[in-house]
């Protein structure tokens, strides 16, 4: 968001702006070339598993697969013991 001639102008990530538009002339540092934006976007899409931490589904020959379990969740249901609760 910036002001041009007293009016508020909002530009969102991914919006395309020509270099002759007033908002670009006022705030050129807020923009990057389309090629750079698309290269970053492609790189993020190409490596989604590294970002999400997906575990390996199978072990390689001679290896044991490590399995991590998420921490136990305790429900807030209607009274009574939850599965896994000690009694």
């Amino acid at each position: 968001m910036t002001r041009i001639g007293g009016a508020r102008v909002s530009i969102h990530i991914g919006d395309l702006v020509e270099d002759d538009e007033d908002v670009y002339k006022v705030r050129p540092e807020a923009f990057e070339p389309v090629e750079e934006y698309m290269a970053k976007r492609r790189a993020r899409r190409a490596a989604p598993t590294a970002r999400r931490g997906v575990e390996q589904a199978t072990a390689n020959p001679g290896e044991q697969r490590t399995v991590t379990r998420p921490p136990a969740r305790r429900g807030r249901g209607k009274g009574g013991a939850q599965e896994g609760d000690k009694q």
Side-chain angles (χ1 to χ4, degrees):
M1 200 288 294
T2 191
R3 292 193 177 272
I4 298 175
R8 286 183 2 169
V9 178
S10 295
I11 301 294
H12 302 280
I13 293 174
D15 286 352
L16 296 176
V17 175
E18 296 284 341
D19 58 2
D20 62 348
E21 291 185 46
D22 290 339
V23 69
Y24 180 80
K25 291 176 184 177
V26 172
R27 299 282 310 272
E29 73 282 357
F31 299 94
E32 64 185 337
V34 173
E35 295 81 14
E36 287 180 30
Y37 172 78
M38 294 306 293
K40 290 177 188 175
R41 186 174 172 193
R42 280 190 293 275
R44 284 192 305 268
R45 284 185 171 174
T49 56
R51 229 176 35 245
R52 295 185 193 143
V54 175
E55 74 180 48
Q56 184 176 341
T58 59
N60 289 323
E63 292 181 339
Q64 287 188 339
R65 184 172 75 104
T66 58
V67 178
T68 56
R69 292 184 174 208
R73 290 181 17 186
R74 301 226 175 216
R76 295 185 184 178
K78 299 178 183 177
Q82 297 292 321
E83 184 175 319
D85 284 351
K86 293 182 181 179
Q87 294 187 4

